[in-house]
Amino acid sequence: MSDSSSKAVAGHPTATVPGAAPSAPDVVDTTPHPLYQTLVGVGAVVVGAVMTIGAAAIPGDAGYGGVGPNALPWFVAVVLIVCGAWLVWESRTGGFRQMEPPSGAPRADWVSAAWVAGAVIANAALITTIGFVLACTLCFVLAVRGLRRAEGKGHGGARQLLIDVVTGLLIAAPVFWLFNKLLALNLPALTAGGWL
């Protein structure tokens, strides 16, 4: 029995043979503390409650579709409150279940966060200068670089940069055309014709 002293008892994966030296765990437990899980749920409930205050201040006159301008804020507020309450219940009754192990670095990666924050700031600063499509494409390229870095992947070189630019254009341009051409809601354009 000396050879099996550090092995788990059959049928009981967490039980060990009495007198055995504790072995190092194969998997590191990365489950957040239940308090942190509860705070996430409480935060969602608080945001939902604040949204109900804002939704109550919006006039509820129904438009041509029978739905007023405050319908969506009310819907989002209720969904946030329900999901937040559910998260609190989950965290207080044993923690979040069936969570996938977190990806990325075990600690905050501030450089990656700076890439993503810089992407959003650049978008806001440049949208009226270079237009919606190019500003959103730049935002996408910078944010993807930050997210890739957070995952521990390289930036991918010139080929990946080209793929990111094309992908950003393929996302931003149809959104721009939908708003400007179909919905007649003018987003900032680079050209006078409004196609870019």
Side-chain angles (χ1 to χ4, degrees):
M1 185 152 190
S2 61
D3 291 339
S4 62
S5 64
S6 62
K7 295 182 181 176
V9 174
H12 300 284
T14 57
T16 56
V17 175
S23 61
D26 293 338
V27 179
V28 177
D29 183 20
T30 57
T31 307
H33 190 275
L35 173 64
Y36 300 136
Q37 295 177 352
T38 303
L39 290 175
V40 169
V42 169
V45 170
V46 168
V47 170
V50 170
M51 284 193 69
T52 61
I53 296 167
I58 299 172
D61 301 333
Y64 65 90
V67 177
N70 67 350
L72 185 61
W74 273 111
F75 175 75
V76 172
V78 169
V79 168
L80 273 172
I81 291 171
V82 169
C83 288
W86 189 357
L87 289 171
V88 169
W89 176 78
E90 283 275 328
S91 68
R92 301 320 299 163
T93 59
F96 299 166
R97 296 162 200 46
Q98 301 173 353
M99 285 181 54
E100 292 183 13
S103 61
R107 297 201 174 279
D109 184 352
W110 295 108
V111 175
S112 298
W115 274 100
V116 176
V120 174
I121 292 168
N123 187 12
L126 296 173
I127 197 165
T128 57
T129 307
I130 64 174
F132 179 86
V133 175
L134 296 180
C136 287
T137 300
L138 177 64
C139 179
F140 178 82
V141 169
L142 295 176
V144 166
R145 183 178 178 114
L147 294 173
R148 239 186 237 113
R149 187 182 189 292
E151 286 286 325
K153 301 175 183 173
H155 54 78
R159 182 176 183 272
Q160 188 62 55
L161 177 63
L162 180 62
I163 291 171
D164 292 344
V165 168
V166 170
T167 304
L169 284 170
L170 290 175
I171 294 170
V175 170
F176 177 76
W177 297 329
L178 173 73
F179 276 84
N180 276 25
K181 301 302 180 184
L182 294 178
L183 299 176
L185 299 171
N186 294 326
L187 295 175
L190 179 63
T191 63
W195 284 98
L196 262 182

